[in-house]
Each structure stands twice: as structure tokens, then as C-alpha cells.
Amino acid sequence: VHDLEAGARLEVIGRVEGCFDERFGTPRQPGLTPDARAELILLPPYDHPDLLRGLEDCSHVWLVFGFHRNPARRWRPTVRPPRLGGNRRRGVFATRSPFRPNPIGLSVVRLDGLIHEPRRCGLRLRDHDLVNGTPVYDVKPYIPYSDCVPDARPPAGFDVPPRRRPVVFLAEAEAGLERCPGGFRALVEQTLSLDPRPAYRGEDPGRQHGVVLMGINVRFRVIADRVEVVRITPGEHATCS
Amino acid sequence: VHDLEAGARLEVIGRVEGCFDERFGTPRQPGLTPDARAELILLPPYDHPDLLRGLEDCSHVWLVFGFHRNPARRWRPTVRPPRLGGNRRRGVFATRSPFRPNPIGLSVVRLDGLIHEPRRCGLRLRDHDLVNGTPVYDVKPYIPYSDCVPDARPPAGFDVPPRRRPVVFLAEAEAGLERCPGGFRALVEQTLSLDPRPAYRGEDPGRQHGVVLMGINVRFRVIADRVEVVRITPGEHATCS
């Protein structure tokens, strides 16, 4: 009998290096931002290609990871999921909130290939929801016949993907995009269409917010249910929110 | 920044009380034994109905749990999955093997109701793959739009559910069944049709094995690809395998 009975000590097997630099702006679920890329870089002693043998065939993996950027506060028995507008309480075990008794997350992400370089071993990921630096505790292959339950009934309010808002790029943002890597527009559009703002907003409707994607500052505001990208400033390293 | 960066310490939030008394005989995946029942009994300070509020609507949950009955041995970079006949090696992260760097498991199980009794709070589960006493670290609702990926490509060899063998009950087993609880026949049939024997078998083909289900000893043998249930002995408490 293992000492898991009293509790488990998990080792970090790898760390995420990806496009979401801050907690604010990182999608709340995977599968919503197909152009979001990341690498999971394995740490010693787990950084050997042998551990990944057989994943070449595989399109999706589960990651078990830590919500390492949670603000320091204790879990509560109930939470207010952003999906429900932020004003309805649900039991923490009836939600996927990061504020839980054990702050571990579970995401299925698209596997885009394996990294087998000298001193750099890991997985190329896509369509993820992991903030930069996320510690990962386990990788498991996604097995549809046991993991996919199409007729499962989720808790009320979680039956459809979150609503998308239209995203428009203002002139200054368009100018900034020209100095950004290819695919950056799609990443901005997918990320901001989900409206990353917190659910409680007793604030000016046109207030500017900022997210940092791939190290690039993106300023936006939400007006009349539409997201306006105000400015994109590659090369500037300030963080903001 | 949380100390999850260095590793995580998980608390046991609850423990499984179910029909699979021993590791041997417990299915290797959930979703294959619809008559397998269990309760997840929450432990203090997690044993409050508030934490489950909203799960009433929900048909399936994820459990993150510990493989607490693993024999004490270190993980290896590669394993030989029983599904592949036990003679082909795969990287541990390309399998769902319980012998992994962090011995935590992930199963989607059917939720059959909530337990709200004085001093007994938890979840009624069905169609599970959890050995009795399993420590659970997290419960998350199953959300089809993000968890169900029907067109995901699993690693080679994991594309279809495991093969079932026909199960026949010999006369002595039929007699024993009469003193067993209702539904026990279905549980035996579902469990043994998966052939719980280890993949490596350099042994007599007709050798008898035993599993303990709901505290009841079940003896069986596999002959010519058919599982014969030899004896079912309710009330006898010996364990065997």
C-alpha cells in the first residue's frame, strides 16, 4: 500500500513554453484557440524520447497540470463560474474553476509533433489553454473509446461552448500586426473573441485592457458587445491588464 | 507564484468504496462495466454538500485519483501495455499505465446521484474502474464540448475497446449466484469478459484464478478463449488471485 493514501507528492515532469504570457487572456478551456501554440519541455529525468515512444500516432493528449498562477487565496466550497455570468454560485466540484482543494487542471490539447533535439525533448501542442510556465505532472494519450462521452450531460449552463464576440482591428492595431509573426492575427482574434475580462464589471464599458500574447502587447476594449483591438505593439515588453 | 512550480502536494478529498476489492479483476478502463457501482465518500473538510452543488444535473464526472495499490516499484521509461499483448514496449506517456512518474489516474465515470446523509457526503458512481479504497484528489464535471474529441486519433492499438470473451457459469457457480445480491451476475459477466489475467501467461491454460467482487469470491478459468466461472462463494472472505 502506497503512501498516496495520505496524499500525493507530484513531481513536475515538464513545463509549458507557450503563447499565453499572463493569466489574464489565457482561455478558460482548451479547444477554442486553434492557433495557440506551445511546447511542453520535459525536465530531467523525464526528458528522454523513450518516454514518448508511441505518441507519434496520437492526435490529442491529456495534460494534468498545476494552476501555478492562481492568486494566493484559499479554495472556497462554492465558486462563481465566469460562464454563468459570475453571479451564480456552484459547488467547486461542479465546476472546472482553478480555485479548488487541489489546484490541478486537466486539459485535452492537440499534439502537433514531438521535440527530439539534443537537450530539448518534449511535445509540440496546439489549441491549448495553458499559461506560460505551467508545471505539468502527467501526459496521457487521449483514447476516444474511453474518454469521449458524446451524450454526457454537463452541469446546467455548460452545454455549449462560450459565446464569441466579433473582433475588429483598428488602424493602429493593423499597423502593428505587420511587424508580428504570421498567424498572430488569428491568435488575437480567437483569444479576444472569448472576452477575457472578469465576469464582474462595475466599470466603464469602453475601458482599455491589455493582454500579452507571444510576448506582444495587445490593447483592446469592448464596446457594444464587439471587441475592438486598439493597439498591437511588438517589441514592447511592458505587461499590463 | 505558487509552490506548485517545484511540485504539488495533493490532499485526499475522498475515498472510493466500491465493488472491486482487489487490484486483480478491477477493469483497466472505465466505461466497460456498467453494473460496477461505487461510492466516493468525501473526507473532512471536503464533506459538505455545498461543494457538490450543481452536480445534480450532471451525468459524468472526471476523477483524478491515486494508483494506491501499485506494487512498490519504480516507474520505467517504457511499459508493455496489456492491450498490446504485453510484449510491445511503449513510452510511459503514450500509455495509461498505472506505473508512471506520478502515479495518478484519470477516469470518467457515470454519476448516479449524490449522497447527502448526516456524516456521509459524496457521489454515487457507476461504470467505474477503481479499486476499493482508491484515494481521490479531484472531482470535475465532464463537459462534452471541451472533453469529447470524437475524431481524436489514439496511439496505435488503442482504437477500439478491448475484446470481450464469452462467459459461462458452471453449475456450482449458478448455485452460488442464488445467494448473491441482484445484479451480481451482470457484474461478474462484465468484469470477467475483459479477462483480467496478466498479459504474460507462461502457464497452464486451464489454471484457476480468483477475483473478489463485492466481497464475494469468484473462481474462474479461461479455456479455449472462453471464460468459465467455476465457483461463486458468497460469505467466504478469503482473498485469492
Side-chain angles (χ1 to χ4, degrees):
Chain A
V1 175
H2 207 276
D3 72 346
L4 291 175
E5 298 235 4
R9 173 85 204 164
L10 302 187
E11 301 267 330
V12 177
I13 60 131
R15 218 172 278 281
V16 171
E17 300 180 3
C19 57
F20 299 118
D21 294 273
E22 300 186 343
R23 202 168 155 274
F24 182 70
T26 301
R28 296 183 175 112
Q29 292 101 30
L32 300 173
T33 49
D35 285 271
R37 287 164 203 281
E39 294 181 343
L40 168 58
I41 302 301
L42 297 177
L43 298 172
Y46 312 107
D47 58 340
H48 195 283
D50 274 358
L51 281 77
L52 306 177
R53 199 195 303 168
L55 277 182
E56 306 81 6
D57 298 322
C58 185
S59 69
H60 290 75
V61 292
W62 288 109
L63 300 181
V64 180
F65 61 92
F67 289 115
H68 74 307
R69 296 288 289 276
N70 272 0
R73 70 176 196 233
R74 258 186 74 73
W75 66 276
R76 301 278 205 76
T78 59
V79 296
R80 290 183 290 216
R83 265 310 285 284
L84 306 180
N87 49 15
R88 282 193 283 164
R89 290 206 165 271
R90 285 282 174 81
V92 65
F93 291 142
T95 77
R96 301 286 277 253
S97 168
F99 300 101
R100 31 202 328 114
N102 291 305
I104 49 176
L106 180 63
S107 286
V108 54
V109 299
R110 196 174 281 275
L111 182 58
D112 235 10
L114 302 177
I115 304 166
H116 288 180
E117 297 166 10
R119 278 202 287 270
R120 212 176 141 79
C121 175
L123 295 84
R124 256 184 279 278
L125 309 174
R126 207 150 61 74
D127 211 355
H128 70 97
D129 62 344
L130 303 159
V131 67
N132 232 335
T134 292
V136 174
Y137 306 118
D138 205 359
V139 175
K140 297 178 193 286
Y142 188 91
I143 300 184
Y145 81 77
S146 68
D147 297 330
C148 183
V149 188
D151 59 346
R153 195 173 59 252
F158 289 87
D159 43 345
V160 290
R163 183 165 73 97
R164 303 266 186 184
R165 292 172 200 269
V167 177
V168 295
F169 293 79
L170 302 189
E172 199 180 338
E174 290 285 3
L177 270 181
E178 289 171 18
R179 290 175 293 132
C180 292
F184 193 70
R185 174 194 282 270
L187 177 63
V188 172
E189 198 160 345
Q190 292 158 15
T191 304
L192 295 187
S193 70
L194 297 168
D195 189 2
R197 296 176 306 160
Y200 273 113
R201 300 165 200 138
E203 59 177 43
D204 308 332
R207 194 191 135 184
Q208 278 197 28
H209 300 265
V211 294
V212 185
L213 302 174
M214 297 174 68
I216 297 169
N217 249 311
V218 178
R219 306 284 304 168
F220 70 97
R221 64 188 173 215
V222 182
I223 294 181
D225 219 37
R226 184 176 83 166
V227 180
E228 287 185 354
V229 187
V230 176
R231 200 163 53 245
I232 294 178
T233 42
E236 189 186 285
H237 278 278
T239 61
C240 46
S241 60
Chain B
V1 176
H2 206 277
D3 72 346
L4 291 176
E5 297 234 6
R9 173 85 203 165
L10 302 186
E11 300 267 332
V12 178
I13 59 131
R15 218 172 279 283
V16 171
E17 299 179 4
C19 56
F20 299 118
D21 294 273
E22 300 188 341
R23 202 169 154 275
F24 182 70
T26 301
R28 296 181 176 114
Q29 292 101 29
L32 301 174
T33 50
D35 285 271
R37 288 166 203 282
E39 294 181 342
L40 168 59
I41 302 300
L42 297 177
L43 297 172
Y46 312 107
D47 57 341
H48 195 285
D50 274 359
L51 281 78
L52 305 178
R53 200 195 300 169
L55 276 182
E56 305 83 4
D57 299 321
C58 187
S59 68
H60 290 75
V61 292
W62 288 109
L63 300 181
V64 180
F65 62 91
F67 290 113
H68 74 307
R69 296 287 290 274
N70 272 0
R73 68 176 198 234
R74 259 187 72 75
W75 66 274
R76 300 275 204 78
T78 60
V79 296
R80 290 183 289 216
R83 267 309 286 285
L84 306 180
N87 49 17
R88 281 194 282 163
R89 290 207 165 269
R90 283 284 173 80
V92 65
F93 292 142
T95 77
R96 301 287 276 256
S97 168
F99 301 100
R100 27 200 334 113
N102 291 304
I104 50 176
L106 179 64
S107 286
V108 54
V109 299
R110 196 173 282 272
L111 182 58
D112 235 11
L114 302 177
I115 304 166
H116 287 179
E117 297 165 11
R119 278 202 287 268
R120 211 175 141 80
C121 176
L123 296 83
R124 256 184 279 277
L125 309 174
R126 209 149 60 74
D127 212 355
H128 70 95
D129 63 343
L130 304 158
V131 67
N132 232 335
T134 292
V136 174
Y137 306 117
D138 205 359
V139 175
K140 298 178 192 284
Y142 189 92
I143 300 184
Y145 82 75
S146 68
D147 297 329
C148 183
V149 187
D151 58 345
R153 197 173 56 250
F158 289 87
D159 44 345
V160 290
R163 184 164 74 97
R164 303 264 187 186
R165 291 173 201 268
V167 177
V168 294
F169 293 79
L170 302 190
E172 198 179 341
E174 290 285 1
L177 269 180
E178 289 170 20
R179 290 175 294 132
C180 294
F184 192 70
R185 174 195 283 270
L187 177 62
V188 171
E189 198 160 345
Q190 292 158 15
T191 304
L192 294 188
S193 70
L194 296 167
D195 189 1
R197 297 175 305 159
Y200 273 114
R201 302 167 199 135
E203 59 179 42
D204 307 333
R207 193 191 135 183
Q208 278 196 29
H209 301 265
V211 294
V212 185
L213 301 174
M214 297 174 68
I216 297 169
N217 250 313
V218 178
R219 307 282 306 169
F220 70 97
R221 62 187 175 216
V222 182
I223 294 183
D225 220 35
R226 185 176 83 163
V227 179
E228 288 184 353
V229 187
V230 175
R231 198 163 53 243
I232 293 178
T233 41
E236 188 186 286
H237 277 278
T239 60
C240 45
S241 60

